[in-house]
């Protein structure tokens, strides 16, 4: 009996070993060695790990509780990890596993209308993002031969920018100024103006308050443009690692649509907070400082981000990625470290003056200190015909106004120049969320340059502008159509627009000699 039992047991073991060998043979390609490291230190937003000798730079690591981290410092004895989640539950001794992939983000049409964090996790409460593709956040910028010159304008809907500081699709235009001067307002107005322009918009909030981000999302949703937008959020109370990777994730999402042949606008709000987050991580990880007290590689940090903005060649789809980075200055110090870095990287800057903001001149764009090094070549010819000399004359007016404060006796020519300049400045004022189409802007600029508003008191210019915007495009839709198609504004077209604007002002319903003498006076063009 004992021999029979031993024989039966041996047969069972043989069958088991054969089955094990068959399973191993069938799955030998699927089996992979698993590296497991150990947390040795946990700080605010960072951790140090040992035991992962094969980990790669910027590889995604997984901590207990499905927390994520990014391998950043590859030292000889340990790895410095940027945490992408809160570190409250982590402690020394926890296990860390490699994922075998670099940090990536979901891309595709499924993201349209959504609010996500830089890893792709939803923040809007509308369920998971069911994207079919994921792409690495860090990618090389397009090669020189894969790019085309910037040729198409990106209309912001703001007269002072579209006429004097134009932006092209594929350009990088910096918006900078002190706190609370309207930087985000300009960016949001630009997004609103893309509703009918077939430009997809990505708003990347870096280090912004949750309430400010929620207000921005609510404004976009209320004005029916959120469905054409993607919001990537690395808020101020998020780990600094999420704030650090946020702009790269937003750019990767935009590059996917650019490669599909679409025009994309990406707003980075703001890169000053991004640099602070990187500085915090550098200090926590004890990275050696660069050339100056601030980490010297912060220039490379932003240059490798903004160099990904371009206009692709026709062989690659012809799409474009326009970048509007925002930077914050302190006490109007434009020559500070971060602003000068970004100015040297970008193709121009829009500077917002706190003095103009305090005077109620909104948007508070300082025309003399703002420039667009590319957009002028992409600007519609009608703008160049109408506002070609307006920038220079407006800057001269500002200087003349400053000097005229010290003199009470002015000649008639100087008085006329000052009066015209004040009206031009008043016309450049524009309330938030009230963008203007190209024909409306051209109609107003034609009227102001022709002197149609010279006989009106400044307090009535807003009403006059509304009348001109409403009447002129209705009376000359053919001219407006040619303007939108990029045709030059001929002398006959200009005269027709001036006549239509003059008739609209004189025939305005508000015309009343008793209540509104401004519109009752005869208005004639001034050379």
């Amino acid at each position: 009996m004992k021999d029979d039992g031993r024989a039966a047991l041996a047969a069972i073991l043989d069958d088991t070993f054969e089955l094990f060998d068959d399973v191993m043979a069938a799955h030998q390609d699927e089996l992979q060695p698993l590296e497991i490291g150990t947390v040795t230190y946990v700080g605010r937003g960072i951790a140090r790990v040992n035991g992962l000798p094969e980990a790669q730079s910027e590889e995604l690591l997984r901590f207990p509780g499905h927390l994520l981290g990014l391998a950043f410092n590859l030292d000889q004895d340990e790895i410095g990890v940027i945490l992408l989640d809160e570190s409250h539950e982590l402690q020394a001794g926890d296990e860390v596993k490699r994922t075998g992939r670099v940090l990536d983000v979901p891309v595709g049409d499924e993201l349209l209308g959504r609010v996500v964090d830089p890893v792709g996790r939803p923040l809007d409460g509308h369920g998971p993002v069911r994207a079919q593709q994921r792409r690495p956040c860090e990618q090389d910028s397009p090669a020189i031969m894969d790019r085309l010159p910037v040729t198409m304008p990106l209309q912001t809907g703001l007269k002072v920018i579209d006429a004097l500081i134009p932006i092209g699709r594929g350009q990088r235009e910096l918006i900078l100024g002190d706190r609370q001067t309207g930087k985000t307002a300009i960016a949001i107005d630009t997004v609103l103006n893309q509703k009918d322009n077939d430009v997809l918009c990505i708003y990347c909030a870096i280090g912004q308050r949750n309430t400010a981000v929620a207000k921005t999302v609510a404004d976009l949703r209320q004005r029916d443009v959120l469905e054409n937008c993607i919001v990537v959020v690395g808020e101020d109370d998020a780990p600094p690692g999420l704030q650090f990777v946020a702009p790269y994730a937003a750019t990767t999402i935009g590059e996917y649509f650019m490669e599909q042949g679409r025009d994309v606008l990406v707003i980075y709000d703001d890169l000053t907070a991004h640099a602070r987050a990187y500085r915090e991580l550098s200090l926590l990880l004890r990275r050696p400082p660069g050339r100056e007290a601030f980490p010297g590689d912060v220039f490379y940090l932003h240059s490798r981000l903004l160099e990904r903005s371009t206009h692709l060649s026709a062989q690659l789809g012809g799409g474009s990625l326009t970048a509007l980075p925002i930077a914050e200055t302190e006490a109007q110090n434009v020559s500070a470290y971060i602003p000068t870095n970004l100015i040297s990287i970008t193709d121009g800057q829009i500077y917002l003056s706190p003095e103009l903001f305090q005077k109620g001149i909104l948007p508070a764009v300082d025309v003399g200190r703002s420039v667009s090094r590319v957009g002028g070549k992409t600007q519609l010819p009608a703008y160049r015909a109408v506002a070609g000399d307006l920038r220079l004359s407006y800057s001269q007016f500002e200087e003349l106004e400053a000097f005229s404060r010290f003199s009470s006796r002015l000649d008639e020519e100087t008085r006329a120049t000052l009066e015209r300049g004040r009206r031009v400045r008043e016309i450049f004022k524009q309330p938030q969320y009230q963008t203007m189409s190209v024909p409306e802007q051209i109609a107003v600029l034609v009227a102001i340059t022709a002197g149609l508003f010279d006989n009106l008191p400044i307090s009535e210019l807003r009403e006059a502008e509304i009348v001109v915007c409403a009447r002129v495009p209705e009376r000359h839709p053919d001219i407006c159509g040619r303007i939108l198609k990029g045709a030059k504004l001929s002398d006959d077209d200009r005269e027709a627009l001036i006549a239509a604007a003059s008739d609209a002002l004189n025939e305005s319903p508000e015309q009343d000699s008793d209540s509104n003498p401004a519109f009752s006076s005869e208005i004639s063009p001034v050379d």
Side-chain angles (χ1 to χ4, degrees), residues 366-422:
D366 189 333
V367 176
R369 302 175 73 177
S370 303
V371 65
S372 177
R373 303 183 185 95
V374 177
K377 300 177 182 178
T378 70
Q379 194 177 31
L380 293 175
Y383 280 105
R384 293 196 291 271
V386 174
D389 299 329
L390 197 57
R391 179 187 177 92
L392 178 60
S393 61
Y394 186 71
S395 299
Q396 291 174 342
F397 151 72
E398 290 182 322
E399 293 184 5
L400 185 60
E401 185 183 40
F403 282 110
S404 66
R405 296 173 184 172
F406 304 99
S407 176
S408 59
R409 303 177 61 182
L410 301 174
D411 58 82
E412 290 299 324
E413 182 179 355
T414 303
R415 290 178 184 273
T417 302
L418 289 174
E419 290 298 322
R420 171 70 66 84
R422 292 189 181 103

Side-chain angles (χ1 to χ4, degrees), residues 65-80:
H66 301 286
L67 304 182
L68 298 176
L70 189 67
F72 207 56
N73 279 10
L74 301 182
D75 298 327
Q76 184 174 2
D77 301 325
E78 62 181 8
I79 298 174

Side-chain angles (χ1 to χ4, degrees), residues 46 95 243 320 362 419:
I46 64 108
E95 291 185 349
Q243 299 179 35
S320 68
L362 304 176
E419 290 298 322

